[in-house]
Amino acid sequence: MRNCSQGIRFIGRPSMEPEKTVPTTAKLKIAGTWTGVLEAQLESWTLPMLREEVARRSGCSCDCINLICGGKILKDDGGSDSLLQIGLRNNSKVLSSAASPDRGKNLKEEEAAQADRSSKLARIRAAADALAQRHAHGTLPVEDFNLELENQSGQKVNFGSENDQRAVMVGLMLHENGKSLIKKQMFKDALDVLAMAEEAFSLCDYKITDMIDNVPILQLDTVWCYFLLRDISCLTMAGVRLAKARDGFERSHGRDNARFRILQAGRPAELALYLRLELLEGVVAYYSGNLGESHRALIAAKSKFDQLQVPDEALSLLMSMGYKQREAKRALRMSGQDIQSAVDFLVEEGVKKARRLQENIQRKKDIMEQKGYGMTPKNKPVNIQRLNELASMGFERYLAAEALRDNDNDTEKALDLLTDPEKNCALQQRIDSKKRNRQQRQAAAAHSTEGDTSDMGNISQPLDENNVVDRTMGSEQSVSGLVPVSDATEGSSLSASAEEERDEEMEDELAKELTGDAYADYDLEVSKEGEAIAEYLALLESASAMK
């Protein structure tokens, strides 16, 4: 049986021993850091070998090269799989991009920087929460400004609940801080802050956030950060965010921007915003291997880029009318280069600015008056609007304010108190008693300082009507904004929150970033976008030439 077994093994097919297969050579189409056709043996080549060859031809280090195929980043994962096993085939298209050569190095420095970054992020979030807490629920500001939500027309906006009001305030402040970090080219920090802003907006009723375009603009700014970092690892998330941004713009701006155009008097103010959106959609489509969609989006973006180029003649004409270059350039962009429409825009903005200035001055006066009346039992300031209503009925202002303060701004109860002769008299006596006590304290304080000839200086600062900071963004139905109103009063009654520990440095930093520019999100400097459009159209042309 043993011999027979050996016979079955060899007799009849002595020439059928397995032959060694010769690896076939495949052609890979490479684009990016190096463009050309690379011949490789798919069965024997591994991903590190491919990366090394692309790096050699690109003149880069292997650690700097990222490879993408079919919209996925090719990762080594420590394995020894061949190119064929990881999915590459003959004529596969591979995109290469350069990453930072220092990646993965200096771990201790990176950890220390991350700790500092985390600490600052915590401070930013805490400061935004503290500011919103003080300004959203009506307590008097303890700083020299007051934050209010306004629409683009300059009208004050009040949402349904304090929680919603506070969530939107926090989201807007963090979003502004994130945009400031982008301008400083601190893109990683900006991404962290924008993520916190997104979380804050998510705490607000979706019916409110669906009406405003701040949330889709936030999504767009986040993907713009990805692009500026050249972080292709966020490719999938970038596509999801851009889809959310487009859906959000359609809800807030209306289909084909119809609602937005009505609110903007027919002006194409949104062009730069959609230019950036279509550019990023084109970039994502390119890295996903959808070259046709990429070309369509980039051509649409280029069309908008061309529309936003301001003619020198039109700019010179507006500047000759006395307008500054920046505002003249903005007006032309916002009005589709139509000179008459640009002039109308500038006149309207001048009227709005003057009106907001007067409103802010009046608001400062209201705040000073509020501080003089003290706080209600629920730690709220006296409602000036309700006080004005009672004063219009003929009641003395100081009496009406005290009645509202005692009754937590309940107008009906305050009116009952004021119209009852006995209660009114008791209220008047109490006010007179408080006045006498205050005068006695002031006299005692003055007496205690007699004989002191040292000059302590004047620590109080007069109100400066020109020092009014205003920030509005968006339109009544689409966007909202924060307005810090300057108020430099001292020596007034403050809320209990003044005694709490505050991070004044960070709070001031957040407040100063509220610039009062209603069109900052729409009037973008699009030079980087123009360069990117040219770059990726060239890459598409190279990819088409290899077919």
Side-chain angles (χ1 to χ4, degrees), residues 344-359:
D344 293 341
F345 176 86
L346 289 166
V347 172
E348 290 172 12
E349 285 303 294
V351 172
K352 287 180 183 178
K353 185 176 181 180
R355 187 187 71 242
R356 287 197 298 266
L357 177 62
Q358 292 301 317
E359 290 175 352

Side-chain angles (χ1 to χ4, degrees), residues 2 19-20 25 70 73 100 120 155 184 199 251-252 276 301 375 426 446 453 477 485 493 506 526:
R2 185 176 56 191
E19 297 181 359
K20 295 183 179 179
T25 300
I73 300 175
S100 171
K120 185 172 183 180
Q155 298 172 336
K184 297 174 184 176
E199 179 187 6
R251 284 194 302 270
S252 59
R276 180 174 288 182
M375 308 299 290
T453 58
Q477 297 185 35
V485 183
S493 300
M506 186 56 68
V526 294

Side-chain angles (χ1 to χ4, degrees), residues 218-231:
L218 173 64
Q219 298 284 358
L220 190 60
D221 286 339
T222 300
V223 181
W224 182 240
C225 257
Y226 295 159
F227 175 77
L228 294 174
L229 282 168
R230 299 288 175 154
D231 189 352

Side-chain angles (χ1 to χ4, degrees), residues 171-187 189-191 193-194 197 213-214 217-218 220-222 224-225 228 273 276 471-473 480 513-515 517-522 524:
L172 289 173
M173 281 187 279
L174 293 174
H175 190 184
E176 285 299 314
N177 184 254
K179 289 188 288 187
S180 176
L181 291 170
I182 292 175
K183 291 178 181 178
K184 297 174 184 176
Q185 299 188 5
M186 301 170 65
F187 303 127
D189 291 347
L191 281 175
V193 174
L194 292 175
D213 66 358
N214 300 81
I217 290 175
L218 173 64
L220 190 60
D221 286 339
T222 300
W224 182 240
C225 257
L228 294 174
L273 202 63
R276 180 174 288 182
R471 185 216 187 275
T472 56
M473 49 182 286
S480 58
E513 289 169 348
L514 306 176
T515 61
D517 190 346
Y519 289 96
D521 286 321
Y522 310 116
L524 303 176

Side-chain angles (χ1 to χ4, degrees), residues 376-446:
T376 71
K378 292 185 178 179
N379 201 35
K380 298 291 182 67
V382 171
N383 188 299
I384 293 296
Q385 183 178 355
R386 296 180 184 181
L387 174 59
N388 291 336
E389 293 173 0
L390 292 176
S392 68
M393 298 179 188
F395 297 107
E396 292 290 343
R397 199 167 182 83
Y398 68 93
L399 274 176
E402 189 69 9
L404 284 169
R405 192 184 71 81
D406 285 353
N407 291 282
D408 277 316
N409 289 315
D410 188 316
T411 306
E412 292 299 324
K413 291 182 179 180
L415 190 58
D416 290 342
L417 187 155
L418 292 168
T419 54
D420 186 313
E422 186 176 343
K423 292 180 180 179
N424 188 306
C425 182
L427 181 64
Q428 180 68 65
Q429 291 175 354
R430 193 173 70 215
I431 293 174
D432 291 340
S433 175
K434 287 182 178 180
K435 184 178 181 180
R436 285 193 300 271
N437 291 338
R438 184 166 59 251
Q439 290 173 343
Q440 290 172 0
R441 289 195 300 270
Q442 291 173 349

